Each structure stands twice: as C-alpha cells, then as structure tokens.
Amino acid sequence: MLRNRFQKELETLNQELISMAALIEKIIGDSTMALTRQDKVLCERVISYKDEVNIFKAEIESKALKIILMQQPVASDLRKISTALKMITDLERIAGQARDICEIVIHLCDEDYQPTIEILPQMSELTRQMVYDCVNSFVKEDLELAAKVIETDDIIDSLFDKLKKKMIKLIKDKPSFADQAIYFLMVGKHLEKIGDHAENIAEWVKYSKSGKHKNIKII
C-alpha cells in the first residue's frame, strides 16, 4: 500500500518535471525566434516566463521534500528524488540563459544583421532536443538516451567553435560590425551553456541508476 502511494507520488513528480521541461523548451525556441525575427515583444514574453519557471521549481521542490519526509524512501528511490531536485536547478538556469539571450536581442532589434546566423538556430534546436531527451531519459530510466544527450553536447561545442571563427573573421573584415559580432558570440555562449546544463542533467540521470556521478560514488 505504501509502495503504491510512493509510486503515484513519484509519477506526479515526473509529470511536473515534464511540464517544466516543456516550458523550458518553449523558452529556448522563443528566444531564438526573437533573435531571428528581431522581435522585442517576444523577448519581453520570454523574460516574463521567469515567474512561471520559479513556480514550477518551488512546486517540484515541495513535492520531492514531502516524499522524502513522509515516505522514507530506500536508497534507489532517494537517488531518483535527489536527481529531480538537481534537474530543476539546471532547468531554471537554462531558462536564465534564454532570458539573457533575449536581453542581448533587445540591443540588436533595430540593426540590420551583417552576418548570417544560421549556426545559432542550429544550436538552439539541438539544445531544445537535449532538454526534451534528458528529462525523458529520467522519466523512462533510459540510460542510452542520457548518453545521447551527453554526446550531443560535443556537437554544440563544435558549432560554437565554428561560430567563433566566423565572428572573428567578420571582425577582421568589417570592424564596424564588431559589436554585432560580439553580441552573436554572447548568444552562442549562452546556448553552449544551455547544452552544458542539459548534459549535467543527463549525468544526474545516470547517477539515479548507478549511484555514481561522473564515476564518483555518492549513494
């Protein structure tokens, strides 16, 4: 009976995580759409999602702590719950990176873009997929999917290196667009950090099954 109750509470927690992740995916996509469309209104909407993200975080924290206090979970269950707590921290930080992108975009909305920025939407789409996959890997206990997320971060890093080379060339060839190039580099860096956070979530998913985080035994 107690075990059934625990499983139901854990499933509710998982559904909250999925809902939070869906919002984070939207925030990433909207921030990049705002960049490509130079849309200040969309930027402001992304920034306004901060309260909704904080509500999700608080609700999940509350549910997780209640499970720990009321159900006295065994070690394997405790790993799942502690992983959920780690995940929402990274998800919140991902939302913060997307807001930072929009703060940059606001400065760019009235400018004609000199370089093409196809690399940035590529990075954005990959990070959105990483967020989706890392949360699903947790819910489904799918370590192969978690490993895929970790591998994808290498692609993000490679795209950022490509962006850096492109922006450095722009600065050399057209110094008058140096500020714009630096802004695009900053956007790329935020997307790279989003990838790092998604990778970190995937590492915690592995921990939830093995008790090891990056080969260090925790519980």
Side-chain angles (χ1 to χ4, degrees):
M1 188 73 173
L2 286 174
R3 187 67 191 173
N4 288 342
R5 183 177 174 184
F6 171 81
Q7 290 298 336
K8 286 180 181 178
E9 289 178 351
L10 189 61
E11 187 171 333
T12 300
L13 189 70
N14 287 345
Q15 289 304 316
E16 288 277 349
L17 272 169
I18 290 169
S19 296
M20 184 178 183
L23 175 61
I24 301 301
E25 289 174 54
K26 176 175 173 54
I27 288 170
I28 296 169
D30 284 354
S31 65
T32 309
M33 190 183 298
L35 173 71
T36 55
R37 295 181 180 178
Q38 297 179 278
D39 188 334
K40 282 185 182 179
V41 174
L42 189 53
C43 283
E44 290 164 1
R45 190 185 309 161
V46 170
I47 293 167
S48 75
Y49 284 132
K50 182 178 181 179
D51 290 341
E52 197 171 342
V53 171
N54 287 339
I55 289 169
F56 266 122
K57 185 172 184 282
E59 288 178 348
I60 293 168
E61 281 176 338
S62 177
K63 283 183 171 66
L65 292 173
K66 282 178 182 176
I67 293 172
I68 292 171
L69 291 171
M70 302 299 291
Q71 300 295 331
Q72 297 180 331
V74 297
S76 60
D77 295 330
L78 188 58
R79 287 200 301 268
K80 289 178 184 177
I81 298 163
S82 60
T83 295
L85 289 169
K86 294 288 186 181
M87 288 169 67
I88 58 173
T89 298
D90 278 300
L91 288 172
E92 180 190 36
R93 288 174 180 168
I94 287 170
Q97 297 291 340
R99 286 196 302 274
D100 289 342
I101 288 172
C102 284
E103 295 284 0
I104 293 167
V105 173
I106 288 170
H107 292 290
L108 291 167
C109 280
D110 298 323
E111 297 185 17
D112 292 328
Y113 288 170
Q114 173 59 28
T116 55
I117 55 170
E118 73 281 351
I119 294 172
L120 295 173
Q122 286 178 45
M123 292 177 72
S124 173
E125 184 54 36
L126 282 171
T127 56
R128 280 201 322 116
Q129 187 65 45
M130 288 172 77
V131 170
Y132 177 84
D133 287 344
C134 65
V135 173
N136 272 280
S137 70
F138 173 73
V139 172
K140 296 177 181 178
E141 300 183 348
D142 187 339
L143 295 185
E144 287 186 9
L145 191 55
K148 177 187 170 186
V149 172
I150 293 167
E151 289 171 4
T152 303
D153 190 54
D154 291 335
I155 301 173
I156 297 289
D157 292 342
S158 177
L159 284 170
F160 182 61
D161 286 341
K162 187 176 177 181
L163 177 70
K164 280 193 292 187
K165 290 174 183 175
K166 185 174 181 178
M167 293 303 107
I168 289 169
K169 186 176 187 304
L170 176 65
I171 291 169
K172 287 179 179 177
D173 293 347
K174 298 182 179 180
S176 61
F177 287 96
D179 286 349
Q180 198 175 98
I182 290 168
Y183 277 133
F184 288 134
L185 274 174
M186 289 169 67
V187 171
K189 188 62 180 176
H190 286 307
L191 288 168
E192 185 195 36
K193 286 180 180 177
I194 289 173
D196 290 341
H197 285 302
E199 179 189 23
N200 196 44
I201 292 172
E203 291 286 1
W204 283 112
V205 172
K206 289 168 62 179
Y207 154 80
S208 73
K209 294 294 289 181
S210 68
K212 292 181 180 179
H213 185 254
K214 298 182 179 179
N215 296 320
I216 298 173
K217 185 72 175 178
I218 299 177
I219 185 173

